[in-house]
Amino acid sequence: MLRHYFQIAWRNLMKRKFYSLINIAGLATGMACCILIGLYLYHERSYDSYHKKRDRIYRVTQTFRSVEQGTMPAAPSPQEFQVWGCAPVGPALQADFPEIEKVVQFMSPASLLMQYGEKRFQQDSLLFIDSTVFDVFSWKMIQGDPKTALVAPNTIVLTKTLAQKFFGNDNPVGKVFRVDNEDDLLITGVMEDVPPNSHFTFTGLISLASVRKVAPEMFGWWGYVDFYTYLLLKENASVESIKAKSAEFVKRNNPKDKGYAIAFEKMTDAYLHSVAGRQPGPTGSLLNVYLFLCIAVFIMLIACINFMNLSTARSLERAKEVGVRKVLGVKPSSLMWQFLFESILLSLGAVVIALMLAHPGMALIEKLSGKEIAYVNFFSPLVFAGIVVFAVIVGMLAGIYPAIVLSGFRAITVLKGRFNPTGGNISFRKALVVFQFTLSIALIAGTIIVYNQLHFLNSHDLGFQKSQMLVLDFENDQGVRKNIEAIKKAIAGQPGVIAVAASRAVPGEFLPNAGTSIQTPEGQMTNKVPLIYEIDFDFIPTYRIPMVAGRSYSRAYLTDSAGAMVINEAAAKMYGYSNPADAVGKKFEQWGRKGTIIGVVKDFNFRSLHKPVEPLTLRYGYPWSLNRISVAIKGDNVSATLASLHKTWDKLAPQRPFLYHFLDDSFNDQYKADQHFGKLFTFFSCLAIIIACLGLLGLSTFMAQQRVKEIGVRKVLGSSVSGIVLLLSKDFIKLVLIAVVIAVPLCILAMNEWLNDFSYRISIGPLVFLEAGFITVSIAMITIAWQSVKAARVNPVQSLRNE
């Protein structure tokens, strides 16, 4: 029986090569898309799953809220917590809770100038971390002892990539780095690179004991924030028991801070499920995961609908075959299984092609997503079995309706030649066409919305000068700090330079919070925790940040460097001033400095447009706190300006390499994930349209063949080619227009959810759907017209000579 099924399937495949090719191509492309999306989503959901003790690892999230004296704060929401917190919480938790086996803490990533011999690099993503790191996380040491590698101060463990960067294939253990031209680090180990599916990464680990040696006091400050705290629970211990006692723990250990609270997050939830702020690395989007899952389902449905439409449309060709088989005694159920077998066979053939497409497609997905996705062996028993099951399910889904239709024909009707496709079958085919183009139009509209939002992010007025701003990075270099004014003056004198300023950070970079008391309209000193920029006299005018009240820092006022502060409009509102001018002249206290507010700047977007403008204080920064020099340059002859600056820098700061970047590039790095999402969304949307048009091409070709004699008669009676093309096209165009109407609310619902992640966003207007509808109708017209013109230009003598 199976051999007979194979023979029949092969004959039908060869008999109609064009339609078979369309069916296989559509299914193969749809399956390849599903496989690629599946691998991408598996990667997104696999973050931190390689840690052997992952189910016992939690991290501490903390909130630092301002509380009015004499009031009780409400329970904090999950969004009020941040992963970045204070140091003493870790040891205190381990001392109070026997359920905790190990605690590991690390500081914000550091960038250090590292030198060995003649090789010198500014190395980013270095972590100062506890020696317990290898007891908690499953990172493999290649050389060195994980138990002792980070116990002593001034020791470092390199990742394999960093070790090869400096030492090639030589063993670096025991060698010494010179760091920032003043300290030494002993290399005590080399570890494997951190897997790409980690919620935070690094290039090297430096012992936290190095920091304890020079600044032991900060490890006892509950108000000093610069640490990430992770816990390893003992086996069979429950985090719930710790959560239940966390409020008492805070009261016992930090009784003075009424706004302080802690919570706990499972490490495996960090990448996709965490809503806490100040993450140690980039986070993913669960909504994006669901959107791509929907796209995979949409694409597969479109491919299956193509199969259904072509199979039911061609039912007339196989009607007599069904009639003969039924007369010979074949049961309808056997016929149904035969047709199902044919579709499953076709699906199995398509999945082979899909796997061949998926292999090179994986490199493209990595490029579009900007992520390194682990290789999957499609021929491993488990994966191969899953792919075969997937192909069988797709074959059954695509073939079930055609099998029911074909096996249901009445033998006597079809053998008498009176058979015609029923109105119900035609209506169902039309409904399927509407459904697949509804999905396609929704994807096109979604792509337009994504790209409009990305364009908005890049073109939105941020409130400061972002273009033609060069940022020189000197990260903690004491030589530069001591001569900062002389270096700035020399840079300002170079051709092509407009203005120069110095600061601790620049827009788009990480900012600390600062406990700040400001006098309210009622005259009380109220403490809150705004963000802080440490800047020099020239920062505000160099970045062209408008003042809305008061004035900026000025060298003409001797007290500005010690007793003045500038805030933004959001900070003024936070302290109760709806009119920014009313905040000018009010007293402040911040980090040991007292004075008066001298000015209020207009709110500017110093962070990503995902976030609203937050309260900000712009504090005068002494040279020892500065890390960046910002240089506003002219747009013409940039290469000559850079060469001149490089020469000047080497002369004034020979101990420091000339490292620079353009601010617009670094600021836009915040939108990398959104840009990668847009590229992936567009890629799969285009494939969905291509698959839908394949089906439309096949269906229009078949319909033209079915109406070849009608076309001949119409041509004999004087119909033009354009009239016949319109006749063959109008029914399909009507279906596409109906799909546009249905797609609008679906797309608005889905894309509004995506846009809600941005504090600054576009609105979804009717133009988006007019564009999507026009694109879809145009593509459909081109697809249909090609075959319609071909049919209309056939000589009517050829189509009517048998009449």
Side-chain angles (χ1 to χ4, degrees):
M1 182 63 75
L2 283 177
R3 192 168 68 110
H4 176 68
Y5 284 172
F6 267 114
Q7 288 177 339
I8 298 298
W10 181 254
R11 287 173 187 168
N12 278 291
L13 196 67
M14 292 296 102
K15 184 179 179 182
R16 292 289 187 179
K17 295 183 179 68
F18 177 73
Y19 300 111
S20 299
L21 178 63
I22 286 179
N23 269 336
I24 292 174
L27 282 177
T29 307
M31 287 177 170
C33 288
C34 282
I35 291 169
L36 292 174
I37 292 175
L39 291 175
Y40 174 74
L41 296 185
Y42 177 78
H43 171 80
E44 289 293 280
R45 296 186 66 86
S46 70
Y47 270 68
D48 303 302
S49 60
Y50 63 87
H51 292 291
K52 295 177 181 178
K53 303 172 185 177
R54 59 186 176 275
D55 293 331
R56 294 194 282 138
I57 302 174
Y58 290 80
R59 58 183 189 172
V60 183
T61 58
Q62 305 171 56
T63 181
F64 302 84
R65 297 178 297 162
S66 301
V67 179
E68 297 292 338
Q69 191 170 5
T71 62
M72 287 295 294
S77 66
Q79 290 78 9
E80 292 182 86
F81 286 91
Q82 61 184 42
V83 191
W84 200 45
C86 59
V89 69
L93 281 168
Q94 188 164 25
D96 282 20
F97 295 100
E99 298 97 325
I100 298 173
E101 181 178 321
K102 294 283 183 180
V103 173
V104 60
Q105 293 182 301
F106 58 89
M107 301 179 71
S108 303
S111 178
L112 301 176
L113 180 63
M114 303 179 71
Q115 183 173 357
Y116 182 80
E118 297 299 317
K119 293 184 178 180
R120 185 171 63 162
F121 299 100
Q122 183 70 29
Q123 188 61 48
D124 296 326
S125 302
L126 296 166
L127 294 184
F128 287 90
I129 197 165
D130 275 325
S131 60
T132 53
V133 55
F134 297 107
D135 296 324
V136 177
F137 302 113
S138 301
W139 294 317
K140 183 182 177 183
M141 287 282 281
I142 302 172
Q143 294 165 326
D145 184 354
K147 297 291 183 183
T148 60
L150 294 172
V151 172
N154 297 88
T155 53
I156 183 172
V157 171
L158 310 180
T159 57
K160 184 178 179 181
T161 296
L162 184 56
Q164 290 177 339
K165 180 178 179 180
F166 277 96
F167 304 101
N169 294 321
D170 295 340
N171 182 3
V173 175
K175 296 178 181 177
V176 177
F177 274 127
R178 189 69 174 166
V179 177
D180 285 345
N181 299 308
E182 54 185 35
D183 294 319
D184 291 329
L185 285 179
L186 175 66
I187 302 170
T188 55
V190 178
M191 60 176 283
E192 290 284 358
D193 288 342
V194 183
N197 56 338
S198 299
H199 76 280
F200 70 93
T201 59
F202 50 85
T203 56
L205 300 175
I206 305 172
S207 62
L208 196 57
S210 310
V211 182
R212 285 194 178 94
K213 179 181 176 182
V214 296
E217 65 280 357
M218 75 168 61
F219 291 87
W221 293 342
W222 287 86
Y224 181 82
V225 178
D226 197 18
F227 294 84
Y228 297 93
T229 303
Y230 286 68
L231 312 174
L232 175 65
L233 301 188
K234 293 179 180 177
E235 291 188 21
N236 302 319
S238 171
V239 75
E240 298 302 324
S241 63
I242 302 176
K243 287 180 180 179
K245 302 172 185 176
S246 61
E248 294 177 9
F249 165 83
V250 169
K251 288 180 183 178
R252 186 167 57 252
N253 289 278
N254 189 20
K256 294 182 180 179
D257 191 348
K258 304 298 182 184
Y260 178 73
I262 63 172
F264 303 89
E265 278 187 351
K266 197 171 184 179
M267 185 190 64
T268 49
D269 290 341
Y271 181 70
L272 280 181
H273 301 280
S274 178
V275 295
R278 302 289 183 144
Q279 298 281 346
T283 56
S285 169
L286 193 61
L287 176 61
N288 288 357
V289 168
Y290 290 140
L291 283 175
F292 279 120
L293 183 62
C294 289
I295 290 173
V297 174
F298 289 173
I299 289 175
M300 205 63 254
L301 284 175
I302 290 169
C304 290
I305 287 169
N306 286 350
F307 187 95
M308 291 181 190
N309 268 333
L310 280 177
S311 296
T312 53
R314 291 174 55 208
S315 59
L316 184 62
E317 295 181 352
R318 302 193 69 177
K320 290 185 178 179
E321 175 192 340
V322 172
V324 171
R325 288 178 179 277
K326 283 194 170 183
V327 167
L328 294 175
V330 178
K331 295 180 181 179
S333 59
S334 297
L335 284 171
M336 189 171 75
W337 277 111
Q338 176 195 330
F339 295 127
L340 268 179
F341 179 82
E342 290 180 16
S343 65
I344 290 170
L345 196 62
L346 202 67
S347 180
L348 289 170
V351 83
V352 174
I353 300 173
L355 290 175
M356 291 190 289
L357 293 173
H359 192 269
M362 203 66 247
L364 179 60
I365 296 302
E366 286 186 339
K367 183 178 179 181
L368 294 177
S369 67
K371 296 184 178 183
E372 181 184 343
I373 299 174
Y375 172 77
V376 175
N377 181 9
F378 293 121
F379 298 101
S380 66
L382 189 61
V383 175
F384 185 76
I387 290 173
V388 171
V389 170
F390 169 64
V392 171
I393 292 172
V394 169
M396 293 186 71
L397 178 65
I400 187 66
Y401 178 72
I404 292 172
V405 171
L406 289 167
S407 62
F409 292 157
R410 296 181 60 188
I412 190 169
T413 303
V414 297
L415 291 177
K416 284 183 177 181
R418 298 175 185 170
F419 170 75
N420 281 306
T422 65
N425 288 340
I426 294 172
S427 298
F428 185 73
R429 286 204 306 274
K430 289 181 177 180
L432 291 178
V433 171
V434 170
F435 180 71
Q436 69 176 171
F437 272 92
T438 296
L439 301 181
S440 301
I441 292 164
L443 290 174
I444 290 178
T447 301
I448 294 172
I449 291 167
V450 168
Y451 269 88
N452 284 348
Q453 177 64 19
L454 293 177
H455 175 72
F456 175 81
L457 296 178
N458 291 322
S459 61
H460 181 71
D461 182 9
L462 300 173
F464 66 91
Q465 182 178 341
K466 185 178 70 168
S467 60
Q468 300 305 128
M469 186 66 74
L470 192 71
V471 180
L472 308 183
D473 172 14
F474 59 90
E475 286 286 357
N476 305 313
D477 190 287
Q478 296 306 316
V480 175
R481 284 173 169 174
K482 288 176 182 176
N483 299 303
I484 189 72
E485 289 301 323
I487 292 173
K488 282 175 57 185
K489 186 176 180 180
I491 289 173
Q494 301 305 307
V497 174
I498 300 171
V500 184
S503 58
R504 180 176 178 176
V506 295
E509 292 186 335
F510 198 78
L511 294 179
N513 297 87
T516 307
S517 294
I518 292 180
Q519 189 178 14
T520 64
E522 294 76 25
Q524 297 176 341
M525 295 297 289
T526 299
N527 183 64
K528 294 185 182 295
V529 192
L531 295 166
I532 178 174
Y533 254 124
E534 293 189 84
I535 62 173
D536 70 353
F537 289 112
D538 304 307
F539 185 88
I540 292 174
T542 298
Y543 275 88
R544 299 181 184 177
I545 303 170
M547 301 294 302
V548 295
R551 62 177 178 83
S552 180
Y553 291 106
S554 171
R555 291 180 177 86
Y557 296 86
L558 297 178
T559 58
D560 274 11
S561 62
M565 178 182 284
V566 175
I567 62 175
N568 70 350
E569 292 175 293
K573 289 177 184 176
M574 183 172 71
Y575 286 96
Y577 296 101
S578 56
N579 180 9
D582 295 338
V584 177
K586 295 299 187 290
K587 296 178 182 179
F588 80 87
E589 294 179 13
Q590 183 189 68
W591 283 0
R593 188 181 298 180
K594 296 181 180 181
T596 57
I597 295 172
I598 62 170
V600 180
V601 298
K602 185 177 178 62
D603 282 343
F604 64 101
N605 297 101
F606 53 89
R607 282 183 170 178
S608 154
L609 295 180
H610 281 277
K611 300 177 181 295
V613 175
E614 297 178 69
L616 176 70
T617 61
L618 294 101
R619 168 190 173 108
Y620 178 80
Y622 295 123
W624 55 262
S625 66
L626 305 177
N627 288 319
R628 307 281 187 270
I629 294 177
S630 300
V631 185
I633 63 174
K634 296 177 182 177
D636 56 332
N637 209 356
V638 174
S639 58
T641 302
L642 287 173
S644 176
L645 291 175
H646 196 167
K647 185 177 179 180
T648 302
W649 184 268
D650 287 345
K651 181 179 179 181
L652 296 174
Q655 80 285 357
R656 186 84 191 172
F658 181 68
L659 301 172
Y660 71 90
H661 67 269
F662 285 96
L663 182 64
D664 49 4
D665 291 334
S666 61
F667 194 89
N668 289 339
D669 281 346
Q670 298 176 101
Y671 305 124
K672 273 187 176 179
D674 302 307
Q675 292 163 354
H676 290 311
F677 171 80
K679 291 176 182 177
L680 282 173
F681 196 97
T682 302
F683 174 70
F684 288 116
S685 296
C686 290
L687 286 179
I689 290 294
I690 291 170
I691 296 169
C693 287
L694 275 176
L696 198 59
L697 174 64
L699 201 56
S700 62
T701 303
F702 182 79
M703 293 304 179
Q705 290 176 352
Q706 292 295 98
R707 301 176 70 174
V708 65
K709 291 183 180 179
E710 176 190 347
I711 292 169
V713 171
R714 288 180 180 275
K715 289 199 73 175
V716 169
L717 295 176
S719 290
S720 63
V721 172
S722 60
I724 293 172
V725 169
L726 181 62
L727 173 72
L728 295 174
S729 305
K730 65 180 182 180
D731 287 340
F732 290 112
I733 299 305
K734 286 178 184 177
L735 299 179
V736 174
L737 292 175
I738 292 170
V740 172
V741 175
I742 298 172
V744 169
L746 295 175
C747 186
I748 290 176
L749 185 65
M751 296 314 297
N752 263 327
E753 283 296 317
W754 183 74
L755 288 170
N756 284 339
D757 189 42
F758 299 88
S759 293
Y760 299 84
R761 47 163 285 182
I762 61 170
S763 57
I764 302 177
L767 183 61
V768 169
F769 299 101
L770 290 176
E771 291 175 352
F774 176 77
I775 291 171
T776 308
V777 171
S778 299
I779 294 172
M781 278 294 294
I782 293 169
T783 304
I784 297 166
W786 176 72
Q787 187 59 41
S788 299
V789 169
K790 184 179 176 182
R793 295 183 65 182
V794 172
N795 189 333
V797 173
Q798 294 179 8
S799 55
L800 296 175
R801 60 185 167 184
N802 293 329
E803 293 296 320

